Amino acid sequence: MKGASPEQVEYLLKRGVAEVIVEEDLKDRLLAGDRLRLKEGFDPSFPDIHLGHVVGLRKLRQFQDLGHQVVLIVGDWTAQIGDPSGQTVTRPMLSADAVKANAQTYMEQFFKIVDESKTEVRWQSEWFAGFNLADVIQLTSKFTLAQMLAREDFNQRYQQNQPISITEFLYPLLQAYDSVAIEADVEFGGTDQKFNLLVGRELQQMIGMKPQNILTTPLLIGTDGVKKMSKSLGNYIGVADLPEEMFGKIMSIPDELLISYYELLTDISHKELMDMGLALNDENVNPMQLKKKLALQIVEYLYDNKAALDAEAHFRQTVQKRELPDEINEHPLNTKEPTLKDFIALAGLAKSRTEAKRLISQGAVEVDGQNVTDMNYPLKPGNIIKVGKRRYVKCI
RNA sequence: GGAGGAGUGCCGGAGCGGCCAAUCGGAGCAGACUGUAAAUCUGCCGCCUGGAAGGGCUACACAGGUUCGAAUCCUGUCUCCUCCA
């Protein structure tokens, strides 16, 4: 395999990368043209991919485009333990069928970004199903408590007298063993995975294998502008989100996030990034325009050009001009004296009638474009009800 | 095995016999503003009824009990945590 050019390597190891360990080694191998096995794992308890994951997956794809091989590991065993990164709550064990279904969902999204033809899919159960107690003891005996406590979140919890389950220590060990099993050359992950990735290196070394390099990618901040993007925090933009939805969510990110989103999720050049930074400080430039461009690029990347343009048009119409969307959900009127408050609750625009009444009294409800505060406003078929900024339902 | 502590609304966390559907913060929703950004201000934020005032119901781990009256006291159960071994 032909080696990569110094420029390519520079881009590969710098753009959208938090840290590379060991940088010199990986650089040399890329230049030399070694075909590398790139390890990426996922936990089938959480099958949905969001833009935060996309950062790393794009990096994988860049490596693939130079000829390297991705090995995707389905973490069907570690899923049962639960990654201790962050606050862990004991997770229910998934049935084999659920794991399979989740893996399927995950991969559909995964291959929107990663090249399937250069990907090998492996299941942890291939090597862990045959593990017995002796193997477990052997594996665990290689590590010490001190090593585990080197990890920041373990240490923190330990200091604060918070419980750490023994199985949580197993999580990084199993993940590390994966690296041994598939003979990984480079493992990818977010910066919060650093410890786990390093354990992989150590284990490989102990076993006499060349230790993998690791490449961590920065954590993308979610739509709230504060915390890392995550499904459980509800601040995520999903790869499987519909184009309009995706477009809208991207438009709602705080301006401060623009540059980092461009840097981590698009290929625009370093120079353009710098220019954009300047533009954002210019009074005459409306950041909304830059955000629209971003939304267009991302939707196009995950869908296609047409979907992106349609999503933008949809955004302009419903959000910016506050016009009616092309498609409005319909809900049948109740036969007997349908009143506004009942209908709103029944049509699912409010969780309960009490909430429906609250919304009406707060002036959040319009019928055919007219603000209505009468709870018992009589509805007729064809009326279009708007609740809040842009939730519509048509009576039929 | 022993000692002690804790379980409150979506989350955190007050309350510790009536004034408690429950202080406060966060999240969320709505309104104003606006670039569906951020920030800010205002209102709401268990369910049912009512235009509202009001009324009713269900709720403070679970099950009982004491009391005119319990999230608050007692008993039992479950769960979690800490310390000693």
Side-chain angles (χ1 to χ4, degrees):
Chain A
M1 193 171 123
K2 204 167 131 259
S5 71
E7 293 74 30
Q8 287 173 319
V9 171
E10 169 77 12
Y11 188 79
L12 223 44
L13 301 187
K14 291 293 181 212
R15 173 66 175 267
V17 172
E19 190 176 13
V20 178
I21 299 170
V22 177
E23 189 168 346
E24 276 310 308
D25 184 54
L26 183 54
K27 194 183 275 182
D28 290 345
R29 297 185 76 178
L30 288 167
L31 290 169
D34 290 358
R35 180 192 289 272
L36 302 172
R37 288 172 67 73
L38 317 171
K39 176 190 172 198
E40 168 81 23
F42 81 96
D43 180 336
S45 332
F46 298 102
D48 285 311
I49 297 180
H50 55 60
L51 293 188
H53 302 120
V54 170
V55 176
L57 302 190
R58 281 170 50 85
K59 194 46 78 177
L60 278 177
R61 177 59 186 253
Q62 290 165 11
F63 273 73
Q64 278 184 318
D65 289 344
L66 291 173
H68 301 286
Q69 173 78 30
V70 166
V71 183
L72 175 66
I73 295 176
V74 184
D76 53 344
W77 275 79
T78 39
Q80 295 179 16
I81 298 171
D83 185 358
S85 306
Q87 293 161 353
T88 308
V89 186
T90 314
R91 265 180 229 174
M93 284 223 241
L94 294 170
S95 72
D97 281 347
V99 169
K100 224 179 241 172
N102 284 355
Q104 184 63 36
T105 305
Y106 182 91
M107 283 190 272
E108 275 165 25
Q109 299 175 17
F110 185 80
F111 291 128
K112 273 188 161 193
I113 298 140
V114 177
D115 184 348
E116 186 164 8
S117 70
K118 289 176 191 148
T119 301
E120 173 184 329
V121 178
R122 305 289 297 274
W123 291 64
Q124 273 183 324
S125 47
E126 289 173 37
W127 45 91
F128 287 136
F131 247 54
N132 60 32
L133 186 57
D135 295 319
V136 175
I137 290 172
Q138 199 183 18
L139 178 63
T140 50
S141 69
K142 295 184 191 303
F143 294 89
T144 65
L145 184 60
Q147 279 174 293
M148 291 299 131
L149 290 180
R151 178 170 153 160
E152 197 186 325
D153 57 356
F154 279 149
N155 192 26
Q156 221 170 44
R157 285 200 277 161
Y158 184 68
Q159 296 294 341
Q160 295 171 358
N161 285 335
Q162 282 173 359
I164 302 171
S165 144
I166 302 284
T167 51
E168 291 186 63
F169 288 142
L170 236 37
Y171 190 98
L173 301 192
L174 295 190
Q175 184 172 335
Y177 189 85
D178 294 340
S179 293
V180 172
I182 65 148
E183 301 183 39
D185 293 309
V186 189
E187 180 162 8
F188 289 68
T191 50
D192 55 348
Q193 284 288 311
K194 182 172 169 182
F195 178 87
N196 292 351
L197 307 184
L198 284 169
V199 175
R201 268 180 72 79
E202 287 180 49
L203 186 63
Q204 283 174 312
Q205 199 155 26
M206 289 174 192
I207 282 172
M209 207 178 258
K210 178 173 169 51
Q212 67 186 6
N213 289 306
I214 73 178
L215 186 153
T216 57
T217 47
L219 300 178
L220 192 71
I221 302 295
T223 53
D224 59 354
V226 181
K227 294 177 184 141
K228 71 170 181 179
M229 185 175 284
S230 109
K231 195 174 181 189
S232 46
L233 292 174
N235 62 353
Y236 72 102
I237 302 172
V239 164
D241 284 352
L242 295 172
E244 304 89 64
E245 200 180 344
M246 192 180 286
F247 196 98
K249 283 190 188 177
I250 295 168
M251 289 307 291
S252 78
I253 63 169
D255 295 350
E256 295 74 55
L257 260 42
L258 260 177
I259 299 282
S260 70
Y261 270 54
Y262 266 110
E263 181 182 359
L264 299 177
L265 295 168
T266 74
D267 289 315
I268 73 166
S269 69
H270 184 67
K271 180 174 181 313
E272 284 178 278
L273 276 177
M274 302 302 282
D275 290 347
M276 197 178 297
L278 294 175
L280 283 172
N281 288 323
D282 185 338
E283 295 276 311
N284 299 316
V285 176
N286 187 340
M288 182 191 64
Q289 299 305 334
L290 294 175
K291 217 183 276 182
K292 268 194 176 179
K293 244 168 89 183
L294 173 71
L296 275 169
Q297 284 196 36
I298 294 177
V299 175
E300 178 170 353
Y301 178 67
L302 291 169
Y303 286 92
D304 52 52
N305 185 254
K306 183 176 183 305
L309 293 174
D310 287 351
E312 188 195 13
H314 180 266
F315 179 81
R316 188 178 297 135
Q317 185 187 355
T318 63
V319 177
Q320 297 194 294
K321 293 194 181 166
R322 304 210 178 180
E323 286 172 3
L324 295 178
D326 295 333
E327 286 176 29
I328 300 180
N329 288 330
E330 299 182 334
H331 195 272
L333 281 169
N334 225 349
T335 43
K336 285 177 254 164
E337 300 180 39
T339 60
L340 189 55
K341 63 170 195 263
D342 293 342
F343 184 78
I344 288 174
L346 289 170
L349 292 169
K351 285 192 205 83
S352 64
R353 285 165 146 207
T354 305
E355 186 174 301
K357 283 192 278 189
R358 270 201 294 273
L359 288 166
I360 295 169
S361 67
Q362 288 181 137
V365 178
E366 284 179 12
V367 176
D368 294 339
Q370 290 296 311
N371 191 275
V372 174
T373 48
D374 177 5
M375 304 281 171
N376 297 314
Y377 184 90
L379 295 172
K380 293 187 284 292
N383 282 151
I384 290 174
I385 318 294
K386 177 186 170 206
V387 173
K389 281 194 176 61
R390 56 175 200 287
R391 286 147 68 210
Y392 294 92
V393 167
K394 185 176 186 176
C395 306
I396 53 170

